[in-house]
Amino acid sequence: MLFSKFYDVLEDQRLHRLLFLILIGIYIYNELRSWWHVLGRPLYVRITTTLSDYRSGKYYKPWGSNAPIFIVSTKKQIAELSEATCLSQRAVYADMFGFKHTMNKLEHNTSNHKVIRTRLYSRILQVNGPIHLAALYPRLVNQFDASLAKELQEGRILDGSVSLPIADTARRLVSKLMSLMFFGDSLCSDEEFSSALLRYPQDMVKCMAAFQVVPSFMSPIIHALLTNRGEAMHLIQRKLAYCIRPENSSQTDSKQSQRLTILHNIITLADSSDYWNPDLLSQSLLGIWFAASHQPWMNLHFVLLELCTRKEWQNALRQEIEQYGPLDYKGLEQLPLLDGFIKETVRCNPLDTLAIRRKALEPYTFSDGSVSVPSGATVCVSAHDLMHNPQTYAEPDAFNPNRYLPQEPNAQQRKFTEVSETYPIWGFGSLACPGRFHASLAIKIAISQLLLKYDLSLENDKARTKWTWETFTMPYKSTKIILKDRSL
């Protein structure tokens, strides 16, 4: 109990802000001691400039001192927001997560080579990637079983069941699955590399929070303090760059296994390009990894919470899974109720209440004249409003996975990976999340395997499960799930 409360205190955003303000104070104090007699007036100017930065809101915030601009969100407007060349998705997230520091000086405030990058990412993740998922499926299930067994060994035994922290368990399970899809068996089994893959997204989120409460000139210091000088980032990029170099690219997995991975495909597709080189490819893989590994474990966390509080759905989903069993990749993708449950969980628990964020690299006015966006401003849509529109979702505040089930015998299944202007969690248009098929598969494997083997419940039905920061929803590390073996 005491340990749980300690974790909750550590996650308190007010404590985070206080710690960062203390760091600022220490930094200024050291500057005063070291340079007061030498610099004199210049030091005074520097301090007053820092104070002026605070007053004028010059933080490393995603949208500076101004709130984001919302568009009315018709389908035409959303499409224009998604595709306008001077409205940059890359730039807004680079500001938010401080890519200059967290992605090793990644260039972002430019549209140069945008088409080259987009084509490569889409080809790898939306075309080549899904083709290989069916062949990867048995290995992924084996990886999940091995990872879960390790988690169970370290769990706490309660009356023959096992108690596990939902957030950390979901994070580790999904990270292992995504690692296998991305990098193959050899790198996935490299514990040093796997540990870095797990730490890196956490480093990104910590820096995102920290950069918003310190002046921008302190960002390198804060990044170094929070990430041990970018240890995980540099280790990942170093190992990837080694594997990407032509003389080393065939030394990892067997040819049959290797060709199924994103790493192999990105090497193959970029081989004839003058733009891509090992360092740039490894840097880009860092960004793809963060996007692909962070969202699925968070969504899995909320799916598990919903299953624990809505136990009747465990039986319903289990029956559907058993009906199509034994499952292969094709069978797992043909479970409409499972897709519906995940879609509804994410609709009711969006990780971010905003979506399709773009930063204007130059002034832009929408074609219908409705919105003018100044250079440097962020424009976006309200994901919450779009997914709670009663014209699209009847009784939008009710949790109802059945709303996605086909209403007619030959109607098309409503997939979790579906991209729609009424369900913007994946983005929209050509920049819709290309890794959504991999993320969806990781979540579905985890849910199906857990439901087939265990009954799920919360250790404490009254435990706090989530908290909000800015527009984001965050899990509590202290929340525990009970896995009760169904065979006993």
Side-chain angles (χ1 to χ4, degrees):
M1 187 67 179
L2 181 60
F3 195 61
S4 174
K5 289 183 177 179
F6 177 69
Y7 263 123
D8 289 345
V9 170
L10 286 181
E11 292 174 359
D12 193 321
Q13 58 181 319
R14 293 171 298 182
L15 177 60
H16 294 171
R17 291 177 183 270
L18 176 62
L19 289 175
F20 292 132
L21 289 174
I22 291 172
L23 287 173
I24 294 170
I26 293 172
Y27 176 83
I28 294 175
Y29 174 74
N30 287 333
E31 289 282 72
L32 283 169
R33 287 189 59 188
S34 303
W35 298 101
W36 178 259
H37 296 293
V38 178
L39 294 180
R41 182 175 173 79
L43 176 61
Y44 171 78
V45 172
R46 186 169 182 178
I47 293 174
T48 56
T49 300
T50 300
L51 294 175
S52 177
D53 281 350
Y54 270 95
R55 285 197 298 270
S56 60
K58 292 181 182 178
Y59 306 104
Y60 206 11
K61 285 191 175 181
W63 37 77
S65 58
N66 298 317
I69 299 170
F70 293 91
I71 63 172
V72 177
S73 307
T74 64
K75 185 175 182 178
K76 181 180 178 181
Q77 286 178 317
I78 292 176
E80 187 173 350
L81 169 65
S82 302
E83 303 299 335
T85 56
C86 70
L87 299 179
S88 173
Q89 180 188 57
R90 185 186 181 93
V92 73
Y93 286 106
D95 286 348
M96 183 179 297
F97 292 103
F99 285 174
K100 180 180 178 181
H101 310 290
T102 59
M103 288 187 63
N104 204 8
K105 300 180 181 179
L106 179 69
E107 181 183 17
H108 61 275
N109 280 316
T110 175
S111 58
N112 296 338
H113 307 296
K114 176 181 177 181
V115 173
I116 295 176
R117 293 191 300 266
T118 301
R119 284 178 178 172
L120 181 66
Y121 300 159
S122 297
R123 182 75 182 275
I124 290 169
L125 295 170
Q126 291 187 218
V127 180
N128 289 25
I131 292 174
H132 301 311
L133 291 180
L136 273 173
Y137 179 80
R139 301 182 187 198
L140 291 168
V141 172
N142 290 337
Q143 178 63 66
F144 180 83
D145 289 342
S147 299
L148 180 60
K150 184 176 180 180
E151 296 293 329
L152 293 172
Q153 288 178 353
E154 298 177 1
R156 186 160 59 96
I157 305 299
L158 290 175
D159 299 327
S161 302
V162 181
S163 172
L164 298 168
I166 302 180
D168 284 343
T169 301
R171 190 201 307 266
R172 288 190 289 263
L173 292 175
V174 168
S175 182
K176 275 293 188 180
L177 291 176
M178 299 300 291
S179 174
L180 183 57
M181 295 183 211
F182 267 65
F183 309 117
D185 295 316
S186 294
L187 282 175
C188 182
S189 59
D190 182 334
E191 288 303 321
E192 184 183 40
F193 184 75
S194 294
S195 176
L197 289 177
L198 198 60
R199 295 198 320 271
Y200 179 64
Q202 298 178 65
D203 288 348
M204 293 276 282
V205 173
K206 285 188 292 186
C207 287
M208 177 187 70
F211 289 161
Q212 294 192 60
V213 296
V214 298
S216 58
F217 77 85
M218 283 194 63
S219 297
I221 299 171
I222 295 300
H223 175 259
L225 288 172
L226 292 179
T227 67
N228 193 22
R229 296 184 177 86
E231 180 182 46
M233 173 183 70
H234 292 302
L235 188 150
I236 294 169
Q237 193 171 359
R238 184 171 64 252
K239 292 209 172 192
L240 290 178
Y242 174 85
C243 294
I244 289 170
R245 291 189 180 92
E247 65 271 20
N248 302 320
S249 60
S250 61
Q251 296 179 11
T252 52
D253 298 309
S254 66
K255 289 184 178 180
Q256 182 179 7
S257 171
Q258 188 183 44
R259 68 179 180 81
L260 303 176
T261 66
I262 290 172
L263 177 61
H264 172 76
N265 277 271
I266 200 171
I267 295 171
T268 303
L269 291 173
D271 184 50
S272 59
S273 172
D274 294 331
Y275 172 70
W276 295 106
N277 58 57
D279 289 335
L280 186 56
L281 284 174
S282 64
Q283 188 181 54
S284 297
L285 276 168
L286 275 176
I288 300 174
W289 171 255
F290 171 69
S293 64
H294 181 69
Q295 189 185 58
W297 83 259
M298 294 276 284
N299 284 328
L300 174 60
H301 168 271
F302 288 115
V303 170
L304 293 175
L305 286 177
E306 293 291 353
L307 285 170
C308 288
T309 56
R310 305 175 191 275
K311 291 187 172 60
E312 69 278 9
W313 282 100
Q314 293 187 38
N315 293 326
L317 291 172
R318 193 176 289 125
Q319 289 175 9
E320 182 185 61
I321 294 167
E322 291 174 340
Q323 179 183 351
Y324 284 83
L327 285 178
D328 56 11
Y329 174 71
K330 183 178 179 180
L332 189 64
E333 287 298 300
Q334 295 177 341
L335 303 178
L337 199 58
L338 179 60
D339 263 306
F341 190 89
I342 299 172
K343 280 179 71 77
E344 187 71 345
T345 295
V346 175
R347 185 187 73 84
C348 295
N349 302 274
L351 306 185
D352 188 354
T353 57
L354 304 184
I356 317 179
R357 302 176 192 249
R358 300 289 189 270
K359 179 181 179 179
L361 302 181
E362 59 187 60
Y364 182 80
T365 300
F366 280 77
S367 59
D368 60 5
S370 59
V371 179
S372 293
V373 186
S375 178
T378 296
V379 60
C380 59
V381 299
S382 171
H384 178 273
D385 290 348
L386 287 172
M387 294 192 294
H388 286 77
N389 185 345
Q391 295 181 353
T392 306
Y393 300 96
E395 299 182 6
D397 294 328
F399 185 89
N400 180 19
N402 289 319
R403 69 171 82 242
Y404 305 102
L405 298 183
Q407 300 301 311
E408 299 177 4
N410 296 323
Q412 188 174 4
Q413 181 179 339
R414 299 286 303 278
K415 306 281 287 188
F416 174 49
T417 51
E418 176 184 44
V419 175
S420 166
E421 75 278 5
T422 62
Y423 194 79
I425 66 155
W426 302 115
F428 195 75
S430 63
L431 292 181
C433 176
R436 62 188 183 276
F437 303 102
H438 301 76
S440 173
L441 178 58
I443 295 171
K444 289 179 178 179
I445 287 176
I447 297 170
S448 60
Q449 294 301 309
L450 286 172
L451 285 176
L452 286 173
K453 299 173 183 176
Y454 302 96
D455 289 320
L456 313 178
S457 61
L458 292 176
E459 181 177 312
N460 178 4
D461 291 334
K462 297 181 180 180
R464 294 180 296 177
T465 56
K466 58 184 178 181
W467 56 281
T468 58
W469 175 74
E470 297 271 331
T471 62
F472 304 100
T473 302
M474 310 294 287
Y476 275 105
K477 282 190 174 183
S478 57
T479 311
K480 302 292 197 306
I481 188 173
I482 299 292
L483 302 185
K484 182 180 180 182
D485 194 329
R486 298 182 65 239
S487 65
L488 299 180

